[in-house]
């Protein structure tokens, strides 16, 4: 039976181990929250992990756009609302709002997902496999996911993919890429600024033990990051961040 389409809500409590040195929610935790509620809603609607496994399929995130008015603080209770926002031939777009206890929107996010044949690693038609897929035609970020220009004159930061970077799909979790990118910036600058806009484009999975390179350009309040496989030069992901001064 087709589940009724409505916005899906879940409350999150900001715990001490999910915050940075100022007591603000970490970006990696925010990204994990978005994945968590998206997973639950997809399961409820009948096109989640179990339904995909039955057809040897998988959802792969290709793009994120996030707009942050302020980061949640330690001990805050935040409500995230999500819904399928539109469909594509090979996948779908899912949107999110984050609200504080007063119902004020503190962040918006939009994500694009591709449905793939897990063994062939090739996109498949959404409606062929999930003919009852439906959506709420409401977008929180109007523009399409922009192309992220590669950094020009840049610094390079190299490291090996850790065991704990890898998830159940045996590749680096999407939440880790913006964490890697932000780590390439000056520590003193990061202590005084937070990410108020974030665009992420995922190109290829990174695997445990691989060496990756973060190519970074930082000018004024914007930074660009290209994440590549150090040995092959293959692009794994690209990020664009806009930074805003922290007010404590």
């Amino acid at each position: 039976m087709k589940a009724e389409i409505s916005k899906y809500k879940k409350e999150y409590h900001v715990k001490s181990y999910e915050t940075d040195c100022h007591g603000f929610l970490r970006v990696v935790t925010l990204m994990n929250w978005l994945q968590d509620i998206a997973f639950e809603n997809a399961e409820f609607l009948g096109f989640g992990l179990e339904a995909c496994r039955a057809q040897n399929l998988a959802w792969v995130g290709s793009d994120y756009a996030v707009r942050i008015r302020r980061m949640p603080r330690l001990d805050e209770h935040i409500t995230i609302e999500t819904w399928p926002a539109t469909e594509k031939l090979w996948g779908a777009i899912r949107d999110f709002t984050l609200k504080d206890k007063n119902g004020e929107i503190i962040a918006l996010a939009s994500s694009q997902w591709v449905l793939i044949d897990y063994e062939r690693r090739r996109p498949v038609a959404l409606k062929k496999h999930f003919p009852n897929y439906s959506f709420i035609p409401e977008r929180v970020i109007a523009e399409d996911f922009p192309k992220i220009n590669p950094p020009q004159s840049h610094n390079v930061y190299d490291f090996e993919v850790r065991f704990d970077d890898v998830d159940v799909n045996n590749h680096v979790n999407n939440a880790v890429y913006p964490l890697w990118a932000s780590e390439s910036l000056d520590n003193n600058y990061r202590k005084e600024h937070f990410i108020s806009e974030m665009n992420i484009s995922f190109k290829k999975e990174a695997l445990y033990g691989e060496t990756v390179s973060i190519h970074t350009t930082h000018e004024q309040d914007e930074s660009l990051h290209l994440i590549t496989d150090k040995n092959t030069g293959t692009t794994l992901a690209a990020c664009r961040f806009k930074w805003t001064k922290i007010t404590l």
Side-chain angles (χ1 to χ4, degrees), residues 40 69 152 215 242 247:
E40 287 191 10
R69 298 175 184 176
Q152 300 302 313
H215 306 258
K242 182 176 180 181
T247 302

Side-chain angles (χ1 to χ4, degrees), residues 42-113:
E43 284 292 306
F44 174 75
L45 293 174
F47 49 84
L49 179 62
E50 292 306 315
C52 284
R53 281 178 171 172
Q55 300 186 65
N56 201 32
L57 304 174
W59 286 103
V60 175
S62 63
D63 298 274
Y64 272 90
V66 184
R67 304 292 180 262
I68 301 169
R69 298 175 184 176
R70 72 169 181 86
M71 270 299 207
R73 292 177 178 267
L74 173 64
D75 212 32
E76 265 199 275
H77 289 266
I78 301 299
T79 298
I80 303 183
E81 196 169 48
T82 188
W83 61 97
T86 191
E87 66 180 53
K88 298 287 186 82
L89 176 61
W90 309 112
I93 290 177
R94 170 175 290 278
D95 281 8
F96 310 80
T97 60
L98 282 75
K99 297 180 181 179
D100 63 18
K101 65 179 181 180
N102 298 317
E104 294 292 326
I105 294 177
I106 63 172
L108 304 168
S110 188
S111 60
Q112 185 163 233
W113 298 79

Side-chain angles (χ1 to χ4, degrees), residues 31 60-67 110-114 144-151 172-181 197-206 213-214 223-228 234-241:
M31 297 296 293
V60 175
S62 63
D63 298 274
Y64 272 90
V66 184
R67 304 292 180 262
S110 188
S111 60
Q112 185 163 233
W113 298 79
V114 178
D144 266 340
F145 302 95
K147 179 181 178 181
I148 301 173
N149 295 321
V172 174
N173 187 272
N174 285 354
V176 176
Y177 292 93
L179 171 65
W180 287 350
E197 291 187 14
M198 178 166 54
N199 289 92
I200 313 168
S201 178
F202 303 102
K203 302 298 185 182
K204 187 178 182 298
E205 303 100 328
S213 298
I214 313 295
S223 62
L224 298 173
H225 311 266
L226 186 68
I227 303 174
T228 65
T234 302
T235 296
L236 305 175
C239 304
R240 183 193 72 86
F241 299 148

